[in-house]
Amino acid sequence: MSNFDPAALAQFTGTERYYRIAPKFLITDGVKYLAENVGCYWLLDAAISHLVQLGTADWFVLVRLVVQSDAAVLTLEDGNGRVHRKQAIPYTDFPAPQQVLYACWDGEHWVLMLTGEY
């Protein structure tokens, strides 16, 4: 985590490459940077597990991690305030108070991306 610079996330305004992390799940350059530099592949795994349960009826899902002290709450929302899923995370060392990712269904895969990559 010592390599993580939160300001660096702003440089990701698109992606040059997609990375497969599960059969129907891809991540962008920015999410890969985040996962590698923060060590938060667990966040992607948690989001994936909820997206599998949600299905693909809603093609856009907002994934929000809110950290308080050393615990967090993960929510998956429709982008308009409606919560699809909520999960308490009893311990995390995630270095920011909040992280938002977008999950978009492209007809074949869920693509997890930083908000600036949308």
Side-chain angles (χ1 to χ4, degrees), residues 21 24 46-48 54 70 84:
I21 58 171
K24 296 244 181 222
I48 285 172
L54 282 176
D70 60 353
H84 293 300

Side-chain angles (χ1 to χ4, degrees), residues 57-80:
D58 194 355
W59 66 271
F60 176 88
V61 176
L62 186 143
V63 179
R64 182 188 316 272
L65 180 72
V66 177
V67 179
Q68 294 180 340
S69 298
D70 60 353
V73 174
L74 176 66
T75 57
L76 278 76
E77 309 168 17
D78 69 357
N80 294 314

Side-chain angles (χ1 to χ4, degrees), residues 24-38:
K24 296 244 181 222
F25 293 89
L26 305 173
I27 60 173
T28 58
D29 293 328
V31 173
K32 184 175 188 284
Y33 173 88
L34 177 70
E36 288 178 347
N37 288 281
V38 175

Side-chain angles (χ1 to χ4, degrees), residues 67-115:
V67 179
Q68 294 180 340
S69 298
D70 60 353
V73 174
L74 176 66
T75 57
L76 278 76
E77 309 168 17
D78 69 357
N80 294 314
R82 181 174 166 247
V83 175
H84 293 300
R85 297 274 192 275
K86 188 178 253 189
Q87 177 183 354
I89 299 173
Y91 174 78
T92 183
D93 60 355
F94 195 86
Q98 177 172 261
Q99 183 62 55
V100 175
L101 303 175
Y102 292 158
C104 297
W105 179 251
D106 71 3
E108 223 176 296
H109 306 96
W110 280 106
V111 180
L112 293 166
M113 62 190 73
L114 298 177
T115 58

Side-chain angles (χ1 to χ4, degrees), residues 1-24:
M1 220 180 327
S2 60
N3 296 333
F4 180 65
D5 176 10
L9 296 180
Q11 76 180 332
F12 296 100
T13 57
T15 196
E16 292 182 10
R17 184 165 179 220
Y18 296 96
Y19 305 87
R20 185 177 308 280
I21 58 171
K24 296 244 181 222

